[in-house]
PDB file of all heavy atoms in Angstrom:
ATOM      1  N   MET A 293     -60.230  -8.066 -40.572  1.00  0.00           N
ATOM      2  CA  MET A 293     -60.592  -7.573 -41.917  1.00  0.00           C
ATOM      3  C   MET A 293     -61.941  -6.913 -41.899  1.00  0.00           C
ATOM      4  O   MET A 293     -62.180  -5.913 -42.537  1.00  0.00           O
ATOM      5  CB  MET A 293     -60.559  -8.685 -42.986  1.00  0.00           C
ATOM      6  CG  MET A 293     -59.187  -9.283 -43.226  1.00  0.00           C
ATOM      7  SD  MET A 293     -58.032  -8.137 -44.042  1.00  0.00           S
ATOM      8  CE  MET A 293     -58.412  -8.545 -45.766  1.00  0.00           C
ATOM      9  N   GLN A 294     -62.820  -7.413 -41.084  1.00  0.00           N
ATOM     10  CA  GLN A 294     -64.197  -6.789 -40.925  1.00  0.00           C
ATOM     11  C   GLN A 294     -64.046  -5.402 -40.403  1.00  0.00           C
ATOM     12  O   GLN A 294     -64.749  -4.450 -40.869  1.00  0.00           O
ATOM     13  CB  GLN A 294     -65.100  -7.664 -39.986  1.00  0.00           C
ATOM     14  CG  GLN A 294     -66.491  -7.117 -39.815  1.00  0.00           C
ATOM     15  CD  GLN A 294     -67.289  -7.089 -41.122  1.00  0.00           C
ATOM     16  OE1 GLN A 294     -67.233  -8.076 -41.889  1.00  0.00           O
ATOM     17  NE2 GLN A 294     -68.017  -6.041 -41.386  1.00  0.00           N
ATOM     18  N   VAL A 295     -63.228  -5.258 -39.366  1.00  0.00           N
ATOM     19  CA  VAL A 295     -62.994  -3.894 -38.733  1.00  0.00           C
ATOM     20  C   VAL A 295     -62.325  -2.986 -39.685  1.00  0.00           C
ATOM     21  O   VAL A 295     -62.772  -1.825 -39.818  1.00  0.00           O
ATOM     22  CB  VAL A 295     -62.222  -4.042 -37.372  1.00  0.00           C
ATOM     23  CG1 VAL A 295     -61.757  -2.683 -36.900  1.00  0.00           C
ATOM     24  CG2 VAL A 295     -62.992  -4.734 -36.336  1.00  0.00           C
ATOM     25  N   ILE A 296     -61.353  -3.458 -40.390  1.00  0.00           N
ATOM     26  CA  ILE A 296     -60.652  -2.622 -41.408  1.00  0.00           C
ATOM     27  C   ILE A 296     -61.636  -2.164 -42.453  1.00  0.00           C
ATOM     28  O   ILE A 296     -61.702  -0.995 -42.907  1.00  0.00           O
ATOM     29  CB  ILE A 296     -59.477  -3.384 -41.997  1.00  0.00           C
ATOM     30  CG1 ILE A 296     -58.423  -3.608 -40.891  1.00  0.00           C
ATOM     31  CG2 ILE A 296     -58.893  -2.655 -43.191  1.00  0.00           C
ATOM     32  CD1 ILE A 296     -57.302  -4.641 -41.273  1.00  0.00           C
ATOM     33  N   ALA A 297     -62.481  -3.092 -42.941  1.00  0.00           N
ATOM     34  CA  ALA A 297     -63.420  -2.763 -43.997  1.00  0.00           C
ATOM     35  C   ALA A 297     -64.376  -1.683 -43.464  1.00  0.00           C
ATOM     36  O   ALA A 297     -64.755  -0.748 -44.178  1.00  0.00           O
ATOM     37  CB  ALA A 297     -64.187  -4.019 -44.473  1.00  0.00           C
ATOM     38  N   ALA A 298     -64.952  -1.951 -42.291  1.00  0.00           N
ATOM     39  CA  ALA A 298     -65.894  -0.975 -41.680  1.00  0.00           C
ATOM     40  C   ALA A 298     -65.359   0.406 -41.588  1.00  0.00           C
ATOM     41  O   ALA A 298     -65.948   1.417 -41.932  1.00  0.00           O
ATOM     42  CB  ALA A 298     -66.405  -1.499 -40.275  1.00  0.00           C
ATOM     43  N   ARG A 299     -64.077   0.469 -41.077  1.00  0.00           N
ATOM     44  CA  ARG A 299     -63.467   1.814 -40.948  1.00  0.00           C
ATOM     45  C   ARG A 299     -63.127   2.466 -42.277  1.00  0.00           C
ATOM     46  O   ARG A 299     -62.988   3.650 -42.353  1.00  0.00           O
ATOM     47  CB  ARG A 299     -62.238   1.668 -39.994  1.00  0.00           C
ATOM     48  CG  ARG A 299     -62.692   1.186 -38.588  1.00  0.00           C
ATOM     49  CD  ARG A 299     -61.842   1.807 -37.531  1.00  0.00           C
ATOM     50  NE  ARG A 299     -62.202   1.254 -36.288  1.00  0.00           N
ATOM     51  CZ  ARG A 299     -61.398   0.705 -35.368  1.00  0.00           C
ATOM     52  NH1 ARG A 299     -60.090   0.738 -35.628  1.00  0.00           N
ATOM     53  NH2 ARG A 299     -61.758   0.221 -34.270  1.00  0.00           N
ATOM     54  N   ALA A 300     -62.925   1.620 -43.241  1.00  0.00           N
ATOM     55  CA  ALA A 300     -62.678   2.166 -44.596  1.00  0.00           C
ATOM     56  C   ALA A 300     -63.977   2.510 -45.323  1.00  0.00           C
ATOM     57  O   ALA A 300     -63.943   3.118 -46.417  1.00  0.00           O
ATOM     58  CB  ALA A 300     -61.914   1.138 -45.451  1.00  0.00           C
ATOM     59  N   GLY A 301     -65.100   2.125 -44.690  1.00  0.00           N
ATOM     60  CA  GLY A 301     -66.417   2.453 -45.292  1.00  0.00           C
ATOM     61  C   GLY A 301     -66.789   1.541 -46.464  1.00  0.00           C
ATOM     62  O   GLY A 301     -67.513   2.008 -47.319  1.00  0.00           O
ATOM     63  N   ILE A 302     -66.321   0.388 -46.488  1.00  0.00           N
ATOM     64  CA  ILE A 302     -66.652  -0.632 -47.469  1.00  0.00           C
ATOM     65  C   ILE A 302     -67.030  -1.937 -46.767  1.00  0.00           C
ATOM     66  O   ILE A 302     -66.859  -2.098 -45.602  1.00  0.00           O
ATOM     67  CB  ILE A 302     -65.455  -0.901 -48.432  1.00  0.00           C
ATOM     68  CG1 ILE A 302     -64.225  -1.389 -47.707  1.00  0.00           C
ATOM     69  CG2 ILE A 302     -65.100   0.398 -49.179  1.00  0.00           C
ATOM     70  CD1 ILE A 302     -63.044  -1.805 -48.554  1.00  0.00           C
ATOM     71  N   SER A 303     -67.646  -2.811 -47.616  1.00  0.00           N
ATOM     72  CA  SER A 303     -67.952  -4.127 -47.079  1.00  0.00           C
ATOM     73  C   SER A 303     -66.779  -4.985 -46.975  1.00  0.00           C
ATOM     74  O   SER A 303     -65.703  -4.794 -47.664  1.00  0.00           O
ATOM     75  CB  SER A 303     -69.047  -4.779 -47.997  1.00  0.00           C
ATOM     76  OG  SER A 303     -68.425  -5.118 -49.223  1.00  0.00           O
ATOM     77  N   ARG A 304     -66.872  -6.041 -46.208  1.00  0.00           N
ATOM     78  CA  ARG A 304     -65.775  -6.995 -46.050  1.00  0.00           C
ATOM     79  C   ARG A 304     -65.538  -7.657 -47.424  1.00  0.00           C
ATOM     80  O   ARG A 304     -64.430  -7.909 -47.828  1.00  0.00           O
ATOM     81  CB  ARG A 304     -66.117  -8.030 -44.971  1.00  0.00           C
ATOM     82  CG  ARG A 304     -65.004  -9.044 -44.716  1.00  0.00           C
ATOM     83  CD  ARG A 304     -65.232  -9.892 -43.491  1.00  0.00           C
ATOM     84  NE  ARG A 304     -64.152 -10.764 -43.192  1.00  0.00           N
ATOM     85  CZ  ARG A 304     -63.935 -11.943 -43.719  1.00  0.00           C
ATOM     86  NH1 ARG A 304     -64.820 -12.450 -44.601  1.00  0.00           N
ATOM     87  NH2 ARG A 304     -62.997 -12.661 -43.363  1.00  0.00           N
TER      88      ARG A 304
END
Side-chain angles (χ1 to χ4, degrees):
M293 293 292 271
Q294 181 65 41
V295 168
I296 293 167
R299 296 213 187 132
I302 60 175
S303 70
R304 185 171 183 274

